[in-house]
Amino acid sequence: MFAYSTRVTVTPTLPDDIRSAAQPATSGRSRAATVVGGSSLLIVGIVLAALNLRPAVTSLAAVLAEVRDSLGVSAVWVSAVTAVPTVCFGFAGLVAPMLSRRFGPLRVVGFALGLLGLGLALRVLDGPAVLLGGTLAACSSIAVANVLIPVVVKESFPGRLGFVMGVYSAALSAGGAAAAAFTAPLERWVGGWRVAVGLWAVLAVTALVVWAVARRRAQPLEEAALAHDALEQAAPGHPAATATAAATATAATVATATAAATTATSATAAIQATTPDPAAASTTAAAGSSRSLFRSPLAWAVTGFFGIQSLVAYTWMGWLPEILRDVAGVDPTTAGVMLGALMVIGVPAALIIPPLVTRRRAQSGWAVAMTATSLLGVLGLLFAPTLSPVLWVVLLGVGMGGLFPLALTFITLRSRTVADTAGLSAMAQSLGYLIAAVGPFGVGMLHGWTGGWTASLLLVLTAMTIQLLFGYLAGRPRYV
């Protein structure tokens, strides 16, 4: 299917001198691509980065009708621009693990934030082609960050995985909500959609500055591990020579590397603590298995669940204001605010759900219950849109707000090692977002062909029914 392998092999040893200075070697980790140091500033950087991973989509959706009228574009172009984010997330996410192995995840995420700000600023400067190109650049950057930030979280905060993933997911929802709610009012205040949409680049620049400072503090850890990886690759069959060379390369950073080794032990202990079969987990970690995730039914279940919940989420982010205007008679400003409310509702769910589900052995019930809640909202929009549009949006928000952090948490819970997490994150997000692209594009095209929203909403309803099955399978206590 792809030339890219979704399995990221992690060589589970540190240099011999580092081991003796710290503690016995631990299995399951030492690849430079994922060795970073956890800190409070890094949590702030993660939050600010997450705040930037949705405004590129929701800010445009809030004023999509104005953009369409201003540029004089066709229904096909509008459908394409709403599908661009998920297509980018799918294809650009494939290169994230390779970039991470080469440069380290902190540096790659920082570069992505810089490109994101540039794309957001440039896309409002000219016509349809520039807007599409800037959106491609921005969403490609978001794709890379989408894949790597969960890896950074698992590596840097193994003892606080549920908390940090909850904060990250909440910030994702909050950023999307803010852009959805405030872009339409900004458009009125500044007198045009271009400035209102382009101003979100300032948030990306702010995140880049904080991330750069956090990365500078963690840089010695990454550089020590990168040097070790380079030496391993240069002499893969000579571990003793590798260890000697690594000792020379890292002599000035023994204390820092010792901290990395201590963090490694904490990560391994945290993974083993949540593993029903510790012996099997240890064996897998030590072996650094390179089995393709494409052969794992559970990996496909996680990917399908991630992909369909993303399909539904990006359909709402791209089209909900338009749907509310047409089927429920909501005015443009209120429709944007309601999209913002949809995102805001997900903030408490994102904070609460990851810590709760990580304490339970199985999560199938959570997946089914939250999908069913969203289904009620779709049925309301389909059969009684004017009865209570606020209630339908609340139901959609409660379900959607819980499903996304659950999908992210599945990536960490269904994997034993950091290598498995990186591979499953790449597979689930890359292929999942390609699946998701069907939603915004299909909904837009069906609306163009039929002139109404019934067929589009039936498409979403069908997708969510399939999501129930994937959620049940992905929630069972197994490992890829």
Side-chain angles (χ1 to χ4, degrees):
M1 188 179 300
F2 293 99
Y4 167 71
S5 172
T6 56
R7 178 69 61 177
V8 181
T9 302
V10 177
T11 305
T13 58
L14 285 172
D16 289 341
D17 64 315
I18 301 301
R19 288 191 221 146
S20 60
Q23 55 191 356
T26 60
S27 64
R29 128 175 198 142
S30 76
R31 257 280 177 232
T34 54
V35 176
V36 296
S39 67
S40 297
L41 185 61
L42 184 57
I43 292 178
V44 175
I46 288 169
V47 169
L48 286 174
L51 287 172
N52 282 277
L53 302 185
R54 294 295 178 268
V57 181
T58 57
S59 63
L60 197 62
V63 291
L64 189 59
E66 288 74 12
V67 172
R68 180 181 58 213
D69 295 341
S70 171
L71 299 179
V73 291
S74 66
V76 173
W77 186 93
V78 175
S79 299
V81 82
T82 58
V84 158
T86 50
V87 173
C88 287
F89 295 169
F91 283 114
L94 293 170
V95 304
M98 293 182 284
L99 292 174
S100 178
R101 287 195 299 272
R102 175 66 178 85
F103 300 106
L106 292 175
R107 181 178 298 175
V108 176
V109 173
F111 175 79
L113 289 172
L115 183 60
L116 171 61
L118 186 64
L120 291 175
L122 293 180
R123 71 174 180 169
V124 300
L125 297 181
D126 205 345
V130 172
L131 177 59
L132 189 61
T135 302
L136 280 167
C139 292
S140 297
S141 304
I142 293 170
V144 172
N146 275 337
V147 172
L148 293 185
I149 290 179
V151 178
V152 170
V153 171
K154 184 157 187 172
E155 278 290 314
S156 303
F157 307 99
R160 293 186 287 169
L161 182 62
F163 167 74
V164 180
M165 285 302 293
V167 170
Y168 167 67
S169 301
L172 280 170
S173 299
F182 296 125
T183 302
L186 276 174
E187 191 268 338
R188 291 200 319 273
W189 296 337
V190 300
W193 64 267
R194 294 182 185 275
V195 175
V197 172
L199 278 174
W200 295 101
V202 176
L203 184 61
V205 174
T206 304
L208 175 60
V209 171
V210 174
W211 193 272
V213 176
R215 175 185 169 270
R216 184 179 296 274
R217 293 188 180 182
Q219 189 173 5
L221 288 170
E222 273 195 319
E223 289 182 346
L226 279 166
H228 169 51
D229 281 0
L231 290 166
E232 277 190 335
Q233 293 167 5
H238 301 83
T242 300
T244 302
T248 303
T250 61
T253 58
V254 171
T256 305
T258 300
T262 304
T263 304
T265 303
S266 300
T268 304
I271 294 168
Q272 291 174 343
T274 59
T275 303
D277 187 356
S282 176
T283 301
T284 301
S289 172
S290 59
R291 178 179 58 85
S292 172
L293 288 179
F294 287 125
R295 299 176 183 175
S296 169
L298 178 56
W300 282 108
V302 172
T303 299
F305 182 78
F306 188 96
I308 296 181
Q309 67 81 28
S310 297
L311 180 155
V312 176
Y314 280 91
T315 295
W316 300 141
M317 282 189 270
W319 290 108
L320 184 62
E322 290 277 296
I323 293 172
L324 290 172
R325 290 187 196 188
D326 292 346
V327 305
V330 178
D331 65 88
T333 300
T334 304
V337 170
M338 291 176 75
L339 175 59
L342 178 88
M343 308 294 292
V344 167
I345 292 168
V347 174
L351 286 170
I352 294 169
I353 285 173
L356 287 178
V357 300
T358 53
R359 295 175 187 154
R360 304 184 69 87
R361 190 166 178 267
Q363 297 78 33
S364 297
W366 287 90
V368 171
M370 287 181 288
T371 302
T373 302
S374 287
L375 276 169
L376 291 175
V378 179
L379 291 170
L381 286 175
L382 188 58
F383 296 109
T386 60
L387 178 63
S388 182
V390 172
L391 175 60
W392 310 143
V393 169
V394 168
L395 290 171
L396 293 174
V398 170
M400 192 178 89
L403 288 168
F404 178 69
L406 181 60
L408 287 179
T409 306
F410 277 160
I411 293 172
T412 58
L413 292 179
R414 299 286 85 88
S415 55
R416 288 187 176 98
T417 67
V418 171
D420 289 340
T421 304
L424 186 57
S425 180
M427 177 178 176
Q429 297 202 50
S430 297
L431 298 183
Y433 281 123
L434 291 178
I435 294 170
V438 175
F441 187 80
V443 164
M445 293 305 296
L446 284 173
H447 173 60
W449 292 334
T450 64
W453 292 104
T454 299
S456 299
L457 291 173
L458 286 173
L459 173 64
V460 175
L461 195 67
T462 302
M464 294 183 71
T465 303
I466 300 172
Q467 180 182 302
L468 281 170
L469 174 61
F470 281 130
Y472 174 79
L473 296 174
R476 295 187 298 173
R478 290 176 175 46
Y479 296 96
V480 295

